[in-house]
Amino acid sequence: MMLAVGVVFGASAKDTYSHDPSVLPEAARTVVKNNFKSDISVIKIDKDFGRISDYEVILTDGTEIKFDRNGNWEDVECANSKSVPAGFIPQGVADYVKKNQSGTHIVGIEKDHGGYEVQLSNGVELKFNKQGEFQRYD
């Protein structure tokens, strides 16, 4: 039993941290370069059983971006005073927020199996399907 526990914990390598953008997949570096003005502060490389599972990037302005192992974005969170860049927001989501939640802006967006979860500057969370159609308040 102890041997099995040792093998499992030994196989799951510790997460690592870096300040060097070159540790990110090219796709992730491109997303950061094309959508954000701030520099990368730190990169957390999450590993499961010795294999990279995802990257968590924190920018100098506090924005956090999560990428899968291939560099595809999964989650973007900004400070309440900032907005998620428009390139991350499907048009249907942007239109719904503009029409139904005027006076707010999107401070977080996360992709999930069914679509998108969006957090607004007023704390309201919304769910949208993959086509950007409103589903419900969360």
Side-chain angles (χ1 to χ4, degrees), residues 19-87:
H19 300 284
D20 183 5
S22 69
V23 301
L24 293 170
E26 181 63 34
R29 289 195 306 265
T30 300
V31 165
V32 172
K33 180 182 174 189
N34 292 343
N35 293 285
F36 299 96
K37 294 178 183 173
S38 297
D39 293 326
I40 292 175
S41 177
V42 68
I43 301 164
K44 179 182 174 194
I45 304 166
D46 292 329
K47 294 183 180 179
D48 290 326
F49 298 102
R51 181 177 174 191
I52 294 174
S53 58
D54 59 54
Y55 301 88
E56 294 179 36
V57 176
I58 300 175
L59 304 181
T60 54
D61 69 357
T63 299
E64 297 180 20
I65 313 150
K66 186 174 180 180
F67 296 97
D68 68 14
R69 76 174 64 108
N70 298 316
N72 301 306
W73 74 272
E74 296 179 332
D75 187 16
V76 179
E77 293 181 27
C78 299
N80 225 25
S81 60
K82 296 189 161 277
S83 296
V84 171

Side-chain angles (χ1 to χ4, degrees), residues 73-74 90 93 109-118 127-133 135:
W73 74 272
E74 296 179 332
V93 173
I109 186 165
E110 179 181 357
K111 288 187 210 175
D112 60 24
H113 344 310
Y116 301 91
E117 185 173 314
V118 172
K127 295 283 264 181
F128 295 85
N129 65 18
K130 289 182 180 182
Q131 292 73 40
E133 299 166 337
Q135 300 296 296

Side-chain angles (χ1 to χ4, degrees), residues 6-23:
V7 169
V8 167
F9 284 112
S12 61
K14 292 185 177 187
D15 298 336
T16 56
Y17 294 86
S18 178
H19 300 284
D20 183 5
S22 69
V23 301

